Amino acid sequence: MTIQEAATRLLEAEKTKNVIQPLTETYPGITVDEAYHTQLELIRRKVDEGAIIVGKKIGATSKAIQNMFGVQQPDYGHLLADMMYVEGEVIPLENYIQPKVEFEIAFKLKKDLKGPNVTVIDVIEATDYIAPAIEIIDSRIEDWKINFEDTVADNGSSKGAVIGGKPTKLDGVDLTHIGMVAYKNGEMIDSGAGAAVLGNPLRSVAWLANSLGKYDVSLKAGEVVLSGALTSAVEIEDQDTFTAEFDHIGAISVTFKR
């Protein structure tokens, strides 16, 4: 396997909506480092075609998500401008293959962060504000049969995001204990707290900056960072409306239709 071949297969699957077998089956022995370089290669190709990087996402930060997908450590992916939606916009399901939603806290940065040695204090100083977010995850791998290297190569299984609520400064907000209740079509489906995200979403963002630093990638002022899901991911069906209500930072809602 070459990194170029793996990136080509993933990009073709995304374009045609025809899923592929896990890279870990097609290319046995693929390493985590090769998987991250595959992600960087597919993002590079998209940028060459005009895509704009607007942020990053952190995945598999909670035990609920790790158990759901059978992975044991966090990963990350890139957010592009054409992946971002405005709250209240109806999102067409035909844009996706096998989508799910996750409920998260988003960070808007006002300063660059680049590892190694980024601390929680550095993240606090670099954050402009936080807000509720819903991430749309999707997989180009058949039936979500992913190992860690598969989701890493596949841009952290990311495909979209909606930022909502009210921009809130970090002053006086206890992110560890911030609570969230999620609803599907008006019925409560789950609840969680910030502590589910590596103990504290601030720690999650510091982890991301340090992990990206290994590949000479930085978090930049103006970018959005999705810090990780507070609960398990939820499958999306036609006409579904999802709402997440967070303490202190407001609510966010999104509807999907075919």
Side-chain angles (χ1 to χ4, degrees), residues 14 20 32 39 50 69 83-84 101 120 124 141 146 185 217:
E14 182 178 18
I20 61 174
V32 172
Q39 179 187 140
F69 294 115
M83 295 166 60
M84 308 301 287
V101 291
V120 165
I124 293 171
I141 307 296
I146 54 174
N185 303 324
V217 176

Side-chain angles (χ1 to χ4, degrees), residues 62-65 68-69 101-103 189-190 229-234:
S62 71
K63 287 298 181 184
I65 293 294
M68 186 174 196
F69 294 115
V101 291
E102 296 180 340
F103 310 105
I189 54 172
D190 213 339
L230 275 66
T231 61
S232 295
V234 183

Side-chain angles (χ1 to χ4, degrees), residues 8-256:
T8 296
R9 295 195 69 217
L10 288 165
L11 289 169
E12 184 68 15
E14 182 178 18
K15 180 179 179 181
T16 64
K17 305 292 191 297
N18 293 320
V19 293
I20 61 174
Q21 292 298 305
L23 296 177
T24 48
E25 291 182 7
T26 309
Y27 308 113
I30 181 174
T31 66
V32 172
D33 191 56
E34 288 170 336
Y36 275 122
H37 279 292
T38 299
Q39 179 187 140
L40 292 172
E41 171 64 13
L42 67 85
I43 293 298
R44 182 192 66 78
R45 294 188 195 180
K46 288 188 174 188
V47 169
D48 285 347
E49 294 177 357
I52 299 170
I53 297 171
V54 297
K56 310 291 190 300
K57 60 81 47 110
I58 310 165
T61 52
S62 71
K63 287 298 181 184
I65 293 294
Q66 290 179 5
N67 292 338
M68 186 174 196
F69 294 115
V71 299
Q72 286 75 47
Q73 57 183 307
D75 66 350
Y76 56 79
H78 289 68
L79 299 175
L80 305 175
D82 63 1
M83 295 166 60
M84 308 301 287
Y85 294 93
V86 176
E87 187 175 14
E89 189 176 354
V90 175
I91 299 178
L93 272 178
E94 58 262 27
N95 291 351
Y96 305 96
I97 302 172
Q98 43 192 350
K100 304 175 188 286
V101 291
E102 296 180 340
F103 310 105
E104 314 194 13
I105 297 172
F107 287 68
K108 180 79 167 185
L109 300 181
K110 60 183 178 182
K111 295 181 181 178
D112 293 358
L113 284 171
K114 186 172 183 180
N117 304 319
V118 171
T119 67
V120 165
I121 298 301
D122 295 328
V123 174
I124 293 171
E125 292 177 347
T127 299
D128 187 8
Y129 60 82
I130 56 174
I134 293 177
E135 182 184 4
I136 306 154
I137 60 172
D138 200 4
S139 182
R140 277 55 70 172
I141 307 296
E142 184 178 14
D143 296 330
W144 283 95
K145 294 186 298 187
I146 54 174
N147 291 308
F148 184 71
E149 293 82 2
D150 295 304
T151 187
V152 166
D154 193 20
N155 194 33
S157 301
S158 190
K159 186 56 180 173
V162 187
I163 312 297
K166 56 182 181 181
T168 303
K169 297 296 184 181
L170 284 175
D171 300 346
V173 178
D174 180 357
L175 287 180
T176 299
H177 296 104
I178 193 169
M180 184 276 301
V181 180
Y183 300 86
K184 176 181 178 179
N185 303 324
E187 294 187 7
M188 178 182 166
I189 54 172
D190 213 339
S191 63
V197 183
L198 295 185
N200 188 322
L202 290 165
R203 189 178 301 158
S204 180
V205 178
W207 173 89
L208 175 63
N210 290 324
S211 298
L212 287 169
K214 300 173 186 175
Y215 298 93
D216 197 32
V217 176
S218 62
L219 299 174
K220 297 181 179 179
E223 287 191 343
V224 172
V225 177
L226 302 182
S227 60
L230 275 66
T231 61
S232 295
V234 183
E235 290 187 9
I236 305 168
E237 297 176 341
D238 189 23
Q239 307 289 328
D240 275 347
T241 295
F242 295 93
T243 302
E245 297 179 351
F246 290 79
D247 294 338
H248 309 299
I249 62 175
I252 181 169
S253 185
V254 64
T255 298
F256 296 87

